[in-house]
């Protein structure tokens, strides 16, 4: 069993427990009462064909399977506010508990603290989780191509759009990029971390990004250590980066986001 398969198996078990406590009908009622979703596609520059500036998706991330404990994060709302003040366009909140130490409570806290789009970062494996994300105020969900069939990917993306939300459709290989493009993904992430081995290969982004046509927002995921990594991704086609570890382990995340945005925007300007 791969790391991804193991994580998804745990997510399904935890989902079953939540479904026993809160029915889909109850979630749908809560979603209907939630404030309208914010437009993450626009926030990431999707409506600007030039996309001259690098956008940052900053992540509230306590733990990871590859590194273990990263940060305690006693106050996720305060951290999210720092991210926003540093210029982040979207806040990502890990809600997977077993491997990442996240929770829907973290999502609730962040949603209440910021007025920019919020991503529910989890291993979406059932429509219930999309309704759940909307009920808790999320504007974006993550759809991992490697974890879904073509039919599921199309169904989940359609539901996301039906609810007025956006999805980051995450890819790792050329075949997955083709599947994301075929289903009409508006935001495509290229994750340079191999979800079978957890190894990082930053060259994967440069290899795959050219196969994404004009139109979708292109996000580089994983492997951001410093401004040089951001510059590398931006010069090879990234419109945005998704970064967690480098921010939660930094004493000055606000300043780091500002630095990353400057490095990425300079690379875009030189393309």
């Amino acid at each position: 069993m791969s790391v991804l398969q193991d994580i998804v198996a745990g997510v399904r078990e935890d989902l079953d427990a939540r479904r026993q406590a809160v029915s889909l009908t109850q979630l749908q009622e809560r979603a209907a009462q939630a404030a309208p979703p914010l437009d993450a596609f626009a926030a990431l520059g999707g409506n600007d064909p030039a996309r001259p500036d690098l956008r940052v998706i900053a992540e509230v991330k306590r733990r990871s399977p590859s590194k273990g404990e990263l940060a305690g994060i006693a106050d996720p709302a305060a951290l999210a506010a720092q991210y926003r003040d540093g210029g982040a366009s979207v806040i990502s909140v890990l809600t997977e508990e077993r491997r990442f130490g996240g929770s829907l409570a973290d999502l609730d806290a962040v949603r209440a603290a910021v007025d920019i789009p919020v991503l529910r970062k989890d291993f979406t494996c059932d429509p219930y989780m999309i309704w759940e994300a909307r009920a808790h105020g999320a504007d974006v969900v993550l759809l991992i191509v490697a974890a879904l069939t073509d039919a599921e990917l199309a169904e989940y993306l359609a539901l996301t759009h039906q609810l007025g939300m956006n999805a980051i459709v995450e890819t790792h290989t050329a075949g997955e990029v083709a599947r994301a493009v075929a289903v009409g993904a508006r935001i495509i992430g290229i994750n340079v971390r191999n979800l079978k081995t957890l190894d990082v290969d930053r060259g994967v982004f440069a290899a795959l990004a050219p196969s994404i046509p004009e139109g979708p927002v292109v996000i580089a995921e994983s492997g951001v250590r410093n401004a040089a990594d951001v510059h590398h991704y931006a010069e090879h086609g990234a419109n945005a980066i998704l970064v967690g570890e480098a921010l939660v382990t930094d004493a000055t995340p606000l300043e780091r986001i500002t630095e990353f945005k400057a490095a990425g925007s300079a690379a875009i300007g030189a393309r």
Side-chain angles (χ1 to χ4, degrees):
M1 181 180 290
S2 71
V3 174
L4 176 60
Q5 291 170 326
D6 185 49
I7 292 174
V8 171
V11 167
R12 288 189 182 279
E13 289 181 12
D14 294 340
L15 168 60
D16 287 341
R18 294 198 307 278
R19 205 189 323 246
Q20 292 298 317
V22 181
S23 71
L24 177 59
T25 299
Q26 289 174 304
L27 274 186
Q28 291 170 334
E29 292 172 351
R30 294 180 188 179
Q33 296 168 1
L38 301 175
D39 190 346
F41 181 70
L44 293 170
N47 293 334
D48 181 356
R51 299 176 190 169
D53 301 316
L54 182 89
R55 310 299 170 100
V56 173
I57 303 172
E59 193 154 81
V60 176
K61 183 177 185 179
R62 301 173 184 276
R63 196 163 68 224
S64 79
S66 59
K67 295 291 183 67
E69 294 293 332
L70 296 174
I73 312 182
D75 190 345
L79 178 59
Q82 288 189 65
Y83 288 165
R84 175 203 60 206
D85 293 346
S89 296
V90 175
I91 307 297
S92 171
V93 184
L94 258 304
T95 60
E96 196 281 333
E97 182 175 1
R98 299 189 184 201
R99 297 293 190 99
F100 292 88
S103 68
L104 287 167
D106 283 350
L107 179 62
D108 292 338
V110 170
R111 173 71 288 163
V114 300
D115 56 359
I116 60 176
V118 174
L119 161 67
R120 191 236 177 130
K121 181 89 175 290
D122 211 316
F123 296 77
T124 307
C125 57
D126 190 282
Y128 181 97
M129 296 180 69
I130 300 174
W131 284 102
E132 189 175 49
R134 182 80 282 270
H136 285 266
D139 310 288
V140 196
V141 295
L142 181 71
L143 301 179
I144 301 175
V145 174
L148 302 171
T149 65
D150 286 344
E152 288 170 335
L153 183 59
E155 176 191 354
Y156 296 2
L157 187 60
L159 175 59
T160 300
H161 292 163
Q162 175 189 324
L163 294 177
M165 305 169 73
N166 280 284
I168 295 177
V169 179
E170 180 177 293
T171 65
H172 305 81
T173 67
E176 290 174 11
V177 169
R179 291 175 62 197
V181 171
V183 81
R186 303 175 74 207
I187 307 173
I188 298 178
I190 297 174
N191 192 339
V192 304
R193 185 182 301 281
N194 186 317
L195 291 185
K196 295 179 180 179
T197 65
L198 299 183
D199 293 335
V200 169
D201 180 358
R202 293 169 188 83
V204 168
F205 184 85
L208 297 183
S211 62
I212 299 176
E214 293 290 330
V217 169
V218 180
I219 301 172
E221 302 180 42
S222 298
V224 174
R225 300 163 299 185
N226 49 45
D229 291 331
V230 177
H231 190 281
H232 167 78
Y233 286 143
E235 71 179 350
H236 286 96
N239 305 122
I241 58 168
L242 192 157
V243 55
E245 180 182 336
L247 297 178
V248 298
T249 59
D250 194 297
T252 56
L254 187 155
E255 288 83 355
R256 202 61 52 233
I257 291 174
T258 302
E259 177 188 6
F260 289 170
K261 283 172 61 69
S265 296
I268 291 173
R271 287 204 302 236

